[in-house]
Amino acid sequence: MARKFFGTDGIRGRTNEGVMTAATAMRVGQAAGTHFLRGGHRHRVVIGKDTRLSGYMMESALVAGFTSVGMDVVMTGPLPTPAIAMLTREMRADLGVMISASHNPYEDNGIKLFGPDGFKLSDNAEASIERLLEQEPLLVEPHRIGRARRIDDARGRYIHAVKQSVASDIRFDGLKVVVDCANGAAYQVAPSAIWELGAEVIAMGVEPDGTNINKGVGSTSLDAIKARVVAEGADIGIALDGDADRLIVIDEKGQTVDGDQIMAVIADRLHARGDLRGGGIVATVMSNLGLERFLAGKGLTLERAKVGDRYVLERMKQGGFNVGGEQSGHMILLDHGTTGDGTVAALRVLASLVRSGKPASELLHAFDPVPQLLKNVRYSGGKPLEDATVKQVIADAEAELEGKGRLVIRPSGTEPVIRVMAEGDDATQVEAVVDRICDAVKGAA
């Protein structure tokens, strides 16, 4: 069945348009609630959100939907996505919901669903909910309508949980850390967790007003935190996105440390302790070849999944891995959570900094990335990747890069765009290969 509502990461869109309306949110609550009504116990759903203005509207609509089919609702207020996954499991809830569009601007919003185990829903579960969305809801009798309440200690519970990811003998005393929360869901919990472990915290992106989430701050807008780290003479900068499941680090010189480098450092530390499972890590087809070579030098493997943290997680569970992520900053550490958690990953990086005694610029650049270039080609119709000329140009490029680099070509899942990425030891060659393929795609489009 073609998906009308769910994309690669829940339901997402511009608010008050398309699928992202209050009416749809209420229907999602009714459909998801119906899907998870199992057994005779009193059913419960945990609902969290980030700091978008539309979060109030979407939260109220979801509450109406869930309660109308007999589910009790627990609301947490603004909290990171991984906190909702954790609380769903800890509170023995039947379902968890996060209202967020992650790194998107405030005009967008989204609905992410978690099962009782704290993991994102399977394709089959989402398909079942899609079918229920097309049907009339099964409303309960008046005496079975659910109740709703807010809990006041959700932030404290999450802060306590993430601090457990750091060994009890580790303190961050002496570290000066700039923490950029993107005016998003972690604006209170991330600075607090790092401060409680002893660091001097300089917080930015912690004044949400409903419309400034991800605006000029956070992991997708790094200029502000780079300047602040250098100006403050800080040891390191921590940049989260709007729902705090993504992390980018800035070293003391103002240089970017992306997800590939973070995974390298975390995996290397766990491997040295004998705690890395699966014989390596899981990343995506976009992770740099330099990471793969670094791991190979340690006798470790790099498993590549499709782009999207849900595909990384799926492969991690299949292969028994405990470390995975994306170059963009999603870090999944299954020893400490069920989904990407930027705050947990940040604490692991800070702990490594303390143990090593090295500056961030030395510790966190574990390998030299090979030149990598990504270009997008927009097309108006048809299937340009099936064109004979395009296929030949791609085959020639693969042969040219064999043994020296990689080529990844994929259509976007959300817009008519072909993404062309190549990497290799010769930057000039990489650029020439990408340009040839882009020209061929444009000619066929």
Side-chain angles (χ1 to χ4, degrees):
M1 182 182 73
R3 288 172 175 251
K4 179 180 176 182
F5 296 94
F6 286 93
T8 56
D9 193 16
I11 303 170
R12 189 178 296 188
R14 187 178 174 88
T15 47
N16 276 347
E17 295 179 11
V19 299
M20 200 46 54
T21 65
T24 300
M26 185 173 73
R27 289 170 59 201
V28 170
Q30 291 169 331
T34 299
H35 176 76
F36 281 93
L37 286 173
R38 302 164 184 172
H41 65 280
R42 191 71 189 176
H43 290 75
R44 176 184 295 165
V45 55
V46 176
I47 300 180
K49 61 183 179 179
D50 62 22
T51 56
R52 295 165 207 272
L53 180 62
S54 59
Y56 296 99
M57 175 184 77
M58 303 303 288
E59 179 186 57
S60 297
L62 283 163
V63 170
F66 281 116
T67 54
S68 72
V69 297
M71 266 201 167
D72 290 341
V73 177
V74 175
M75 295 171 285
T76 69
L79 272 185
T81 290
I84 303 309
M86 180 207 79
L87 287 169
T88 299
R89 188 172 55 177
E90 294 295 318
M91 297 185 72
R92 307 298 191 269
D94 301 275
L95 178 65
V97 182
M98 179 65 183
I99 305 167
S100 175
S102 189
H103 57 281
N104 287 23
Y106 87 93
E107 295 91 346
D108 294 346
N109 216 329
I111 300 171
K112 301 179 184 181
L113 302 178
F114 295 93
D117 57 1
F119 287 100
K120 290 180 181 179
L121 298 191
S122 67
D123 289 341
N124 288 338
E126 289 183 349
S128 177
I129 293 170
E130 284 261 7
R131 288 190 292 270
L132 289 168
L133 281 163
E134 301 291 352
Q135 303 171 14
E136 283 297 313
L138 299 174
L139 303 179
V140 298
E141 300 88 345
H143 70 279
R144 292 179 54 212
I145 291 173
R147 300 175 182 271
R149 60 176 290 193
R150 292 190 180 274
I151 56 172
D152 298 324
D153 63 345
R155 292 173 187 148
R157 292 191 193 194
Y158 177 65
I159 290 170
H160 175 76
V162 298
K163 285 164 57 183
Q164 303 311 301
S165 67
V166 177
S168 58
D169 64 323
I170 288 290
R171 292 184 57 88
F172 298 159
D173 300 77
L175 284 184
K176 182 186 283 192
V177 184
V178 177
V179 183
D180 182 350
C181 299
N183 290 317
Y187 77 101
Q188 292 179 314
V189 294
S192 294
I194 295 170
W195 174 81
E196 287 184 18
L197 289 168
E200 177 186 348
V201 173
I202 300 163
M204 56 185 291
V206 290
E207 298 179 347
D209 63 10
T211 65
N212 62 358
I213 187 170
N214 300 313
K215 187 176 181 180
V217 287
S219 64
T220 53
S221 299
L222 296 173
D223 288 347
I225 188 173
K226 286 181 176 181
R228 192 71 180 271
V229 167
V230 173
E232 297 281 355
D235 297 291
I236 194 170
I238 301 298
L240 304 171
D241 69 337
D243 69 334
D245 65 353
R246 183 183 299 199
L247 166 72
I248 296 294
V249 172
I250 306 300
D251 70 20
E252 83 282 2
K253 297 179 179 179
Q255 298 173 320
T256 301
V257 180
D258 67 10
D260 285 347
Q261 297 282 4
I262 296 168
M263 283 188 284
V265 171
I266 292 174
D268 191 26
R269 170 66 184 163
L270 290 177
H271 177 55
R273 286 178 11 200
D275 291 334
L276 185 69
R277 299 197 305 273
I281 68 173
V282 180
T284 75
V285 293
M286 301 305 292
S287 278
N288 195 274
L289 183 60
L291 173 60
E292 188 172 336
R293 291 173 175 173
F294 170 81
L295 293 170
K298 306 277 184 181
L300 303 172
T301 61
L302 175 64
E303 297 266 346
R304 293 186 183 271
K306 291 193 297 184
V307 173
D309 62 321
R310 67 180 297 165
Y311 301 114
V312 172
L313 178 57
E314 183 179 286
R315 181 68 192 103
M316 291 175 68
K317 292 166 73 175
Q318 289 171 349
F321 296 88
N322 59 341
V323 175
E326 296 188 275
Q327 189 183 64
S328 60
H330 284 115
M331 296 291 113
I332 305 175
L333 306 176
L334 283 183
D335 292 337
H336 306 292
T338 56
T339 189
D341 193 326
T343 306
V344 166
L347 297 184
R348 301 296 302 175
V349 168
L350 293 172
S352 294
L353 206 62
V354 170
R355 288 191 185 279
S356 72
K358 298 177 180 178
S361 58
E362 183 178 342
L363 175 69
L364 302 180
H365 297 280
F367 63 89
D368 293 324
V370 304
Q372 186 182 79
L373 180 64
L374 169 67
K375 290 189 177 182
N376 297 323
V377 183
R378 187 170 293 275
Y379 63 97
S380 57
K383 298 180 178 180
L385 292 182
E386 296 182 9
D387 181 82
T389 301
V390 173
K391 288 182 176 180
Q392 186 59 55
V393 171
I394 291 173
D396 292 342
E398 288 174 336
E400 185 178 339
L401 289 173
E402 187 174 3
K404 298 179 290 184
R406 283 193 319 126
L407 183 64
V408 178
I409 301 171
R410 62 185 184 91
S412 167
T414 58
E415 54 184 335
V417 165
I418 302 295
R419 307 197 193 284
V420 180
M421 190 278 281
E423 61 181 357
D425 297 314
D426 186 334
T428 302
Q429 181 185 41
V430 166
E431 183 173 9
V433 163
V434 169
D435 287 343
R436 284 202 303 272
I437 296 172
C438 287
D439 289 343
V441 171
K442 290 175 187 174

